[in-house]
Amino acid sequence: MIRIISMVLLLSAAGINAQVGINTTKPEKDLSVNGTMKTSGMIFKKPLEKLGADENYTFVIKSPAPENKITAYNDSFVPNSPAPINLIQFKITCDPSDKDWVNQFDTKINSSKFLVVISSFGFTQAVRTYSADWLTPVPQIFAYSSGGTWKLKADYQGFAPDSAFPTGVWTLNLLVFDKAYAKEVNTTQNLGASTGAATAPLIQ
């Protein structure tokens, strides 16, 4: 009987105030919960309500083992548990015999689980060529998957720092996306000319 009366009072309060608070006297939405919550199913309002100008958001993620709970993401999970999008920086000292060449550097990042994009780079030394003076050095920098991990290559092909300069150091900034949240689309297009267009939009 007590449970029935409590439920009636709760529903009556909801009907009067249009907002219900659990463990809070100042509910901000139709239902505000101040504490933990467990549910076997959840229904979202359609369309989803926009955040107010003074409201913030929380990214929900599975916490690291052994807890494995759905919780608000925070920086303490890193590096034990990667975020959906990660920024990783490598500083790689080149081979002294070449001074600007990085070949097949293994990041040990699982290529079946993550997608890697080189977002920016830097090199510590000036480079030159001993052939034509009008040539402009263009770096060859890319990430590729091989043997189950992401590898890196960086080189000024046909150019090198002067022999009097110290060995160069590459700074490579990687954006690493968890494939559970990122979609990778591959396509091959045959232009047949100098210009062209995709046969269909890959995403829209």
Side-chain angles (χ1 to χ4, degrees), residues 123-165:
F123 188 63
T124 57
Q125 302 296 347
V127 295
R128 60 169 298 177
T129 180
Y130 292 93
S131 57
D133 293 335
W134 51 267
L135 292 177
T136 301
V138 177
Q140 291 187 346
I141 303 173
F142 53 88
Y144 62 97
S145 174
S146 176
T149 60
W150 284 97
K151 309 294 194 301
L152 302 177
K153 179 177 180 180
D155 182 33
Y156 282 100
Q157 189 168 359
F159 294 77
D162 189 85
S163 58
F165 289 173

mmCIF file of all heavy atoms in Angstrom, residues 123-165:
data_model
loop_
_atom_site.group_PDB
_atom_site.id
_atom_site.type_symbol
_atom_site.label_atom_id
_atom_site.label_comp_id
_atom_site.label_asym_id
_atom_site.label_seq_id
_atom_site.Cartn_x
_atom_site.Cartn_y
_atom_site.Cartn_z
ATOM 1 N N PHE A 123 60.245 19.306 -39.687
ATOM 2 C CA PHE A 123 61.587 18.742 -39.839
ATOM 3 C C PHE A 123 62.596 19.784 -39.381
ATOM 4 O O PHE A 123 62.429 20.982 -39.656
ATOM 5 C CB PHE A 123 61.838 18.338 -41.294
ATOM 6 C CG PHE A 123 63.119 17.577 -41.505
ATOM 7 C CD1 PHE A 123 63.308 16.338 -40.914
ATOM 8 C CD2 PHE A 123 64.135 18.101 -42.283
ATOM 9 C CE1 PHE A 123 64.490 15.628 -41.101
ATOM 10 C CE2 PHE A 123 65.315 17.406 -42.480
ATOM 11 C CZ PHE A 123 65.491 16.160 -41.883
ATOM 12 N N THR A 124 63.632 19.349 -38.693
ATOM 13 C CA THR A 124 64.518 20.294 -38.010
ATOM 14 C C THR A 124 65.606 20.891 -38.885
ATOM 15 O O THR A 124 66.224 21.886 -38.501
ATOM 16 C CB THR A 124 65.193 19.604 -36.808
ATOM 17 O OG1 THR A 124 65.911 18.443 -37.272
ATOM 18 C CG2 THR A 124 64.167 19.197 -35.772
ATOM 19 N N GLN A 125 65.886 20.314 -40.060
ATOM 20 C CA GLN A 125 67.014 20.778 -40.863
ATOM 21 C C GLN A 125 66.569 21.262 -42.244
ATOM 22 O O GLN A 125 65.556 20.803 -42.780
ATOM 23 C CB GLN A 125 68.045 19.651 -41.045
ATOM 24 C CG GLN A 125 68.607 19.090 -39.756
ATOM 25 C CD GLN A 125 69.395 20.117 -38.971
ATOM 26 O OE1 GLN A 125 69.738 21.186 -39.464
ATOM 27 N NE2 GLN A 125 69.685 19.796 -37.717
ATOM 28 N N ALA A 126 67.346 22.184 -42.786
ATOM 29 C CA ALA A 126 67.152 22.582 -44.184
ATOM 30 C C ALA A 126 67.714 21.490 -45.084
ATOM 31 O O ALA A 126 68.665 20.792 -44.724
ATOM 32 C CB ALA A 126 67.864 23.903 -44.453
ATOM 33 N N VAL A 127 67.103 21.317 -46.256
ATOM 34 C CA VAL A 127 67.568 20.294 -47.194
ATOM 35 C C VAL A 127 67.925 20.950 -48.519
ATOM 36 O O VAL A 127 67.460 22.041 -48.847
ATOM 37 C CB VAL A 127 66.494 19.203 -47.415
ATOM 38 C CG1 VAL A 127 66.238 18.436 -46.137
ATOM 39 C CG2 VAL A 127 65.199 19.808 -47.944
ATOM 40 N N ARG A 128 68.757 20.265 -49.279
ATOM 41 C CA ARG A 128 69.171 20.783 -50.579
ATOM 42 C C ARG A 128 69.446 19.622 -51.520
ATOM 43 O O ARG A 128 69.536 18.463 -51.103
ATOM 44 C CB ARG A 128 70.426 21.641 -50.447
ATOM 45 C CG ARG A 128 71.624 20.899 -49.868
ATOM 46 C CD ARG A 128 72.901 21.696 -50.011
ATOM 47 N NE ARG A 128 73.209 21.929 -51.418
ATOM 48 C CZ ARG A 128 74.245 22.660 -51.834
ATOM 49 N NH1 ARG A 128 75.043 23.240 -50.955
ATOM 50 N NH2 ARG A 128 74.481 22.815 -53.119
ATOM 51 N N THR A 129 69.540 19.941 -52.800
ATOM 52 C CA THR A 129 69.902 18.956 -53.799
ATOM 53 C C THR A 129 71.129 19.455 -54.547
ATOM 54 O O THR A 129 71.363 20.671 -54.645
ATOM 55 C CB THR A 129 68.752 18.710 -54.795
ATOM 56 O OG1 THR A 129 69.170 17.739 -55.762
ATOM 57 C CG2 THR A 129 68.361 19.983 -55.516
ATOM 58 N N TYR A 130 71.913 18.522 -55.039
ATOM 59 C CA TYR A 130 73.126 18.895 -55.759
ATOM 60 C C TYR A 130 72.923 18.821 -57.267
ATOM 61 O O TYR A 130 73.870 18.902 -58.033
ATOM 62 C CB TYR A 130 74.283 17.982 -55.335
ATOM 63 C CG TYR A 130 74.698 18.232 -53.906
ATOM 64 C CD1 TYR A 130 74.152 17.473 -52.881
ATOM 65 C CD2 TYR A 130 75.589 19.246 -53.583
ATOM 66 C CE1 TYR A 130 74.514 17.704 -51.568
ATOM 67 C CE2 TYR A 130 75.954 19.483 -52.266
ATOM 68 C CZ TYR A 130 75.413 18.712 -51.266
ATOM 69 O OH TYR A 130 75.762 18.945 -49.957
ATOM 70 N N SER A 131 71.648 18.684 -57.681
ATOM 71 C CA SER A 131 71.343 18.723 -59.113
ATOM 72 C C SER A 131 70.880 20.130 -59.465
ATOM 73 O O SER A 131 71.532 21.103 -59.104
ATOM 74 C CB SER A 131 70.294 17.657 -59.451
ATOM 75 O OG SER A 131 69.135 17.838 -58.673
ATOM 76 N N ALA A 132 69.760 20.282 -60.133
ATOM 77 C CA ALA A 132 69.296 21.608 -60.555
ATOM 78 C C ALA A 132 68.897 22.463 -59.357
ATOM 79 O O ALA A 132 68.223 22.003 -58.442
ATOM 80 C CB ALA A 132 68.117 21.448 -61.509
ATOM 81 N N ASP A 133 69.294 23.734 -59.373
ATOM 82 C CA ASP A 133 68.998 24.637 -58.262
ATOM 83 C C ASP A 133 67.526 25.031 -58.194
ATOM 84 O O ASP A 133 67.054 25.483 -57.157
ATOM 85 C CB ASP A 133 69.853 25.909 -58.378
ATOM 86 C CG ASP A 133 71.332 25.620 -58.172
ATOM 87 O OD1 ASP A 133 71.635 24.623 -57.499
ATOM 88 O OD2 ASP A 133 72.163 26.390 -58.693
ATOM 89 N N TRP A 134 66.801 24.877 -59.307
ATOM 90 C CA TRP A 134 65.416 25.334 -59.328
ATOM 91 C C TRP A 134 64.440 24.315 -58.752
ATOM 92 O O TRP A 134 63.248 24.591 -58.614
ATOM 93 C CB TRP A 134 64.995 25.676 -60.766
ATOM 94 C CG TRP A 134 65.280 24.588 -61.765
ATOM 95 C CD1 TRP A 134 66.386 24.453 -62.544
ATOM 96 C CD2 TRP A 134 64.440 23.470 -62.079
ATOM 97 N NE1 TRP A 134 66.315 23.329 -63.331
ATOM 98 C CE2 TRP A 134 65.114 22.698 -63.061
ATOM 99 C CE3 TRP A 134 63.202 23.034 -61.642
ATOM 100 C CZ2 TRP A 134 64.591 21.532 -63.605
ATOM 101 C CZ3 TRP A 134 62.674 21.868 -62.179
ATOM 102 C CH2 TRP A 134 63.367 21.130 -63.146
ATOM 103 N N LEU A 135 64.920 23.141 -58.389
ATOM 104 C CA LEU A 135 64.031 22.123 -57.831
ATOM 105 C C LEU A 135 63.599 22.500 -56.416
ATOM 106 O O LEU A 135 64.396 22.981 -55.613
ATOM 107 C CB LEU A 135 64.721 20.758 -57.804
ATOM 108 C CG LEU A 135 65.009 20.117 -59.162
ATOM 109 C CD1 LEU A 135 65.769 18.814 -58.981
ATOM 110 C CD2 LEU A 135 63.707 19.863 -59.920
ATOM 111 N N THR A 136 62.326 22.294 -56.125
ATOM 112 C CA THR A 136 61.779 22.585 -54.796
ATOM 113 C C THR A 136 61.591 21.284 -54.030
ATOM 114 O O THR A 136 60.943 20.358 -54.532
ATOM 115 C CB THR A 136 60.426 23.306 -54.912
ATOM 116 O OG1 THR A 136 60.606 24.524 -55.629
ATOM 117 C CG2 THR A 136 59.848 23.598 -53.532
ATOM 118 N N PRO A 137 62.135 21.174 -52.824
ATOM 119 C CA PRO A 137 61.968 19.929 -52.066
ATOM 120 C C PRO A 137 60.518 19.723 -51.635
ATOM 121 O O PRO A 137 59.885 20.626 -51.090
ATOM 122 C CB PRO A 137 62.881 20.132 -50.851
ATOM 123 C CG PRO A 137 63.012 21.609 -50.716
ATOM 124 C CD PRO A 137 62.947 22.164 -52.098
ATOM 125 N N VAL A 138 60.002 18.551 -51.922
ATOM 126 C CA VAL A 138 58.639 18.192 -51.536
ATOM 127 C C VAL A 138 58.708 16.930 -50.686
ATOM 128 O O VAL A 138 59.195 15.896 -51.150
ATOM 129 C CB VAL A 138 57.744 17.949 -52.766
ATOM 130 C CG1 VAL A 138 56.351 17.513 -52.323
ATOM 131 C CG2 VAL A 138 57.670 19.198 -53.628
ATOM 132 N N PRO A 139 58.255 16.983 -49.447
ATOM 133 C CA PRO A 139 58.365 15.799 -48.586
ATOM 134 C C PRO A 139 57.380 14.709 -48.981
ATOM 135 O O PRO A 139 56.253 14.988 -49.393
ATOM 136 C CB PRO A 139 58.041 16.350 -47.198
ATOM 137 C CG PRO A 139 57.170 17.532 -47.456
ATOM 138 C CD PRO A 139 57.649 18.129 -48.746
ATOM 139 N N GLN A 140 57.819 13.485 -48.874
ATOM 140 C CA GLN A 140 56.941 12.324 -49.025
ATOM 141 C C GLN A 140 56.648 11.800 -47.623
ATOM 142 O O GLN A 140 57.514 11.217 -46.971
ATOM 143 C CB GLN A 140 57.604 11.240 -49.871
ATOM 144 C CG GLN A 140 57.771 11.604 -51.330
ATOM 145 C CD GLN A 140 58.280 10.430 -52.153
ATOM 146 O OE1 GLN A 140 58.743 9.429 -51.611
ATOM 147 N NE2 GLN A 140 58.206 10.556 -53.465
ATOM 148 N N ILE A 141 55.441 12.028 -47.166
ATOM 149 C CA ILE A 141 55.062 11.655 -45.801
ATOM 150 C C ILE A 141 53.724 10.940 -45.853
ATOM 151 O O ILE A 141 52.744 11.496 -46.361
ATOM 152 C CB ILE A 141 54.954 12.896 -44.893
ATOM 153 C CG1 ILE A 141 56.270 13.657 -44.883
ATOM 154 C CG2 ILE A 141 54.561 12.507 -43.473
ATOM 155 C CD1 ILE A 141 56.195 14.968 -44.157
ATOM 156 N N PHE A 142 53.671 9.735 -45.357
ATOM 157 C CA PHE A 142 52.394 9.026 -45.330
ATOM 158 C C PHE A 142 52.423 7.907 -44.296
ATOM 159 O O PHE A 142 53.493 7.443 -43.863
ATOM 160 C CB PHE A 142 52.019 8.481 -46.712
ATOM 161 C CG PHE A 142 53.068 7.626 -47.371
ATOM 162 C CD1 PHE A 142 53.129 6.261 -47.142
ATOM 163 C CD2 PHE A 142 53.994 8.193 -48.243
ATOM 164 C CE1 PHE A 142 54.085 5.483 -47.759
ATOM 165 C CE2 PHE A 142 54.957 7.418 -48.870
ATOM 166 C CZ PHE A 142 55.000 6.055 -48.630
ATOM 167 N N ALA A 143 51.224 7.499 -43.899
ATOM 168 C CA ALA A 143 51.033 6.353 -43.006
ATOM 169 C C ALA A 143 50.385 5.240 -43.814
ATOM 170 O O ALA A 143 49.532 5.496 -44.662
ATOM 171 C CB ALA A 143 50.158 6.739 -41.819
ATOM 172 N N TYR A 144 50.788 4.017 -43.551
ATOM 173 C CA TYR A 144 50.215 2.887 -44.277
ATOM 174 C C TYR A 144 50.163 1.668 -43.360
ATOM 175 O O TYR A 144 50.932 1.543 -42.401
ATOM 176 C CB TYR A 144 51.030 2.579 -45.539
ATOM 177 C CG TYR A 144 52.464 2.182 -45.278
ATOM 178 C CD1 TYR A 144 52.848 0.844 -45.241
ATOM 179 C CD2 TYR A 144 53.443 3.155 -45.065
ATOM 180 C CE1 TYR A 144 54.165 0.486 -44.996
ATOM 181 C CE2 TYR A 144 54.762 2.804 -44.824
ATOM 182 C CZ TYR A 144 55.115 1.467 -44.791
ATOM 183 O OH TYR A 144 56.417 1.108 -44.542
ATOM 184 N N SER A 145 49.227 0.790 -43.666
ATOM 185 C CA SER A 145 49.044 -0.416 -42.865
ATOM 186 C C SER A 145 49.866 -1.554 -43.449
ATOM 187 O O SER A 145 49.827 -1.813 -44.657
ATOM 188 C CB SER A 145 47.561 -0.810 -42.833
ATOM 189 O OG SER A 145 47.386 -2.052 -42.179
ATOM 190 N N SER A 146 50.610 -2.232 -42.580
ATOM 191 C CA SER A 146 51.417 -3.374 -43.008
ATOM 192 C C SER A 146 51.653 -4.284 -41.813
ATOM 193 O O SER A 146 52.062 -3.809 -40.743
ATOM 194 C CB SER A 146 52.758 -2.899 -43.581
ATOM 195 O OG SER A 146 53.582 -4.003 -43.915
ATOM 196 N N GLY A 147 51.370 -5.560 -41.988
ATOM 197 C CA GLY A 147 51.611 -6.516 -40.914
ATOM 198 C C GLY A 147 50.746 -6.305 -39.690
ATOM 199 O O GLY A 147 51.141 -6.674 -38.584
ATOM 200 N N GLY A 148 49.575 -5.683 -39.874
ATOM 201 C CA GLY A 148 48.648 -5.511 -38.762
ATOM 202 C C GLY A 148 48.844 -4.255 -37.939
ATOM 203 O O GLY A 148 48.093 -4.014 -36.995
ATOM 204 N N THR A 149 49.860 -3.430 -38.288
ATOM 205 C CA THR A 149 50.074 -2.174 -37.563
ATOM 206 C C THR A 149 50.298 -1.044 -38.561
ATOM 207 O O THR A 149 50.559 -1.277 -39.746
ATOM 208 C CB THR A 149 51.291 -2.262 -36.621
ATOM 209 O OG1 THR A 149 52.467 -2.542 -37.392
ATOM 210 C CG2 THR A 149 51.094 -3.338 -35.563
ATOM 211 N N TRP A 150 50.211 0.182 -38.054
ATOM 212 C CA TRP A 150 50.436 1.354 -38.897
ATOM 213 C C TRP A 150 51.924 1.695 -38.933
ATOM 214 O O TRP A 150 52.575 1.793 -37.895
ATOM 215 C CB TRP A 150 49.639 2.544 -38.383
ATOM 216 C CG TRP A 150 48.180 2.448 -38.704
ATOM 217 C CD1 TRP A 150 47.185 1.996 -37.896
ATOM 218 C CD2 TRP A 150 47.566 2.798 -39.951
ATOM 219 N NE1 TRP A 150 45.977 2.046 -38.552
ATOM 220 C CE2 TRP A 150 46.177 2.535 -39.813
ATOM 221 C CE3 TRP A 150 48.043 3.312 -41.155
ATOM 222 C CZ2 TRP A 150 45.277 2.768 -40.843
ATOM 223 C CZ3 TRP A 150 47.142 3.541 -42.182
ATOM 224 C CH2 TRP A 150 45.777 3.273 -42.023
ATOM 225 N N LYS A 151 52.442 1.870 -40.153
ATOM 226 C CA LYS A 151 53.836 2.262 -40.368
ATOM 227 C C LYS A 151 53.879 3.697 -40.893
ATOM 228 O O LYS A 151 52.914 4.194 -41.483
ATOM 229 C CB LYS A 151 54.509 1.330 -41.384
ATOM 230 C CG LYS A 151 54.364 -0.162 -41.098
ATOM 231 C CD LYS A 151 55.076 -0.589 -39.849
ATOM 232 C CE LYS A 151 55.225 -2.107 -39.748
ATOM 233 N NZ LYS A 151 53.963 -2.855 -39.766
ATOM 234 N N LEU A 152 55.029 4.357 -40.702
ATOM 235 C CA LEU A 152 55.214 5.732 -41.151
ATOM 236 C C LEU A 152 56.421 5.823 -42.073
ATOM 237 O O LEU A 152 57.426 5.140 -41.871
ATOM 238 C CB LEU A 152 55.432 6.671 -39.956
ATOM 239 C CG LEU A 152 54.332 6.728 -38.893
ATOM 240 C CD1 LEU A 152 54.759 7.640 -37.756
ATOM 241 C CD2 LEU A 152 53.016 7.195 -39.502
ATOM 242 N N LYS A 153 56.295 6.688 -43.087
ATOM 243 C CA LYS A 153 57.426 7.004 -43.953
ATOM 244 C C LYS A 153 57.518 8.513 -44.092
ATOM 245 O O LYS A 153 56.504 9.197 -44.247
ATOM 246 C CB LYS A 153 57.278 6.379 -45.341
ATOM 247 C CG LYS A 153 58.451 6.717 -46.264
ATOM 248 C CD LYS A 153 58.350 6.054 -47.621
ATOM 249 C CE LYS A 153 59.537 6.435 -48.498
ATOM 250 N NZ LYS A 153 59.479 5.798 -49.830
ATOM 251 N N ALA A 154 58.740 9.036 -44.025
ATOM 252 C CA ALA A 154 58.976 10.469 -44.201
ATOM 253 C C ALA A 154 60.327 10.651 -44.872
ATOM 254 O O ALA A 154 61.329 10.071 -44.435
ATOM 255 C CB ALA A 154 58.942 11.193 -42.858
ATOM 256 N N ASP A 155 60.349 11.449 -45.943
ATOM 257 C CA ASP A 155 61.603 11.621 -46.676
ATOM 258 C C ASP A 155 61.481 12.793 -47.642
ATOM 259 O O ASP A 155 60.417 13.020 -48.225
ATOM 260 C CB ASP A 155 61.930 10.342 -47.456
ATOM 261 C CG ASP A 155 63.257 10.435 -48.195
ATOM 262 O OD1 ASP A 155 64.175 11.103 -47.670
ATOM 263 O OD2 ASP A 155 63.372 9.847 -49.287
ATOM 264 N N TYR A 156 62.569 13.559 -47.784
ATOM 265 C CA TYR A 156 62.706 14.504 -48.890
ATOM 266 C C TYR A 156 63.464 13.764 -49.983
ATOM 267 O O TYR A 156 64.695 13.798 -50.030
ATOM 268 C CB TYR A 156 63.473 15.750 -48.449
ATOM 269 C CG TYR A 156 62.658 16.733 -47.655
ATOM 270 C CD1 TYR A 156 62.742 16.775 -46.269
ATOM 271 C CD2 TYR A 156 61.798 17.627 -48.284
ATOM 272 C CE1 TYR A 156 61.992 17.687 -45.533
ATOM 273 C CE2 TYR A 156 61.045 18.538 -47.561
ATOM 274 C CZ TYR A 156 61.146 18.560 -46.189
ATOM 275 O OH TYR A 156 60.409 19.459 -45.469
ATOM 276 N N GLN A 157 62.730 13.073 -50.840
ATOM 277 C CA GLN A 157 63.374 12.222 -51.837
ATOM 278 C C GLN A 157 64.178 13.071 -52.825
ATOM 279 O O GLN A 157 63.673 14.026 -53.410
ATOM 280 C CB GLN A 157 62.336 11.389 -52.585
ATOM 281 C CG GLN A 157 62.949 10.329 -53.479
ATOM 282 C CD GLN A 157 61.907 9.343 -53.980
ATOM 283 O OE1 GLN A 157 60.736 9.434 -53.641
ATOM 284 N NE2 GLN A 157 62.337 8.396 -54.792
ATOM 285 N N GLY A 158 65.453 12.698 -52.989
ATOM 286 C CA GLY A 158 66.336 13.440 -53.867
ATOM 287 C C GLY A 158 67.000 14.626 -53.198
ATOM 288 O O GLY A 158 67.803 15.322 -53.819
ATOM 289 N N PHE A 159 66.665 14.862 -51.935
ATOM 290 C CA PHE A 159 67.238 15.970 -51.176
ATOM 291 C C PHE A 159 67.796 15.424 -49.862
ATOM 292 O O PHE A 159 67.454 14.320 -49.429
ATOM 293 C CB PHE A 159 66.187 17.037 -50.870
ATOM 294 C CG PHE A 159 65.664 17.746 -52.083
ATOM 295 C CD1 PHE A 159 64.732 17.139 -52.914
ATOM 296 C CD2 PHE A 159 66.102 19.021 -52.395
ATOM 297 C CE1 PHE A 159 64.245 17.792 -54.035
ATOM 298 C CE2 PHE A 159 65.621 19.683 -53.508
ATOM 299 C CZ PHE A 159 64.692 19.062 -54.339
ATOM 300 N N ALA A 160 68.624 16.212 -49.212
ATOM 301 C CA ALA A 160 69.176 15.814 -47.919
ATOM 302 C C ALA A 160 69.768 17.038 -47.238
ATOM 303 O O ALA A 160 70.145 18.014 -47.906
ATOM 304 C CB ALA A 160 70.249 14.737 -48.088
ATOM 305 N N PRO A 161 69.864 17.025 -45.910
ATOM 306 C CA PRO A 161 70.576 18.107 -45.228
ATOM 307 C C PRO A 161 72.047 18.121 -45.628
ATOM 308 O O PRO A 161 72.617 17.097 -46.009
ATOM 309 C CB PRO A 161 70.407 17.751 -43.739
ATOM 310 C CG PRO A 161 69.225 16.849 -43.690
ATOM 311 C CD PRO A 161 69.246 16.084 -44.965
ATOM 312 N N ASP A 162 72.660 19.267 -45.552
ATOM 313 C CA ASP A 162 74.090 19.368 -45.849
ATOM 314 C C ASP A 162 74.877 18.462 -44.905
ATOM 315 O O ASP A 162 74.482 18.237 -43.758
ATOM 316 C CB ASP A 162 74.539 20.822 -45.701
ATOM 317 C CG ASP A 162 75.957 21.021 -46.203
ATOM 318 O OD1 ASP A 162 76.134 21.221 -47.415
ATOM 319 O OD2 ASP A 162 76.883 20.969 -45.363
ATOM 320 N N SER A 163 75.987 17.949 -45.401
ATOM 321 C CA SER A 163 76.794 17.015 -44.613
ATOM 322 C C SER A 163 77.305 17.632 -43.316
ATOM 323 O O SER A 163 77.612 16.920 -42.357
ATOM 324 C CB SER A 163 77.976 16.515 -45.445
ATOM 325 O OG SER A 163 78.781 17.610 -45.877
ATOM 326 N N ALA A 164 77.389 18.960 -43.272
ATOM 327 C CA ALA A 164 77.864 19.629 -42.059
ATOM 328 C C ALA A 164 76.772 19.765 -41.003
ATOM 329 O O ALA A 164 77.059 20.092 -39.850
ATOM 330 C CB ALA A 164 78.415 21.011 -42.414
ATOM 331 N N PHE A 165 75.510 19.508 -41.391
ATOM 332 C CA PHE A 165 74.391 19.669 -40.466
ATOM 333 C C PHE A 165 74.210 18.415 -39.609
ATOM 334 O O PHE A 165 74.562 17.308 -40.023
ATOM 335 C CB PHE A 165 73.096 19.939 -41.225
ATOM 336 C CG PHE A 165 73.030 21.296 -41.866
ATOM 337 C CD1 PHE A 165 71.972 21.620 -42.705
ATOM 338 C CD2 PHE A 165 74.010 22.249 -41.638
ATOM 339 C CE1 PHE A 165 71.899 22.865 -43.303
ATOM 340 C CE2 PHE A 165 73.949 23.498 -42.228
ATOM 341 C CZ PHE A 165 72.891 23.807 -43.064
#
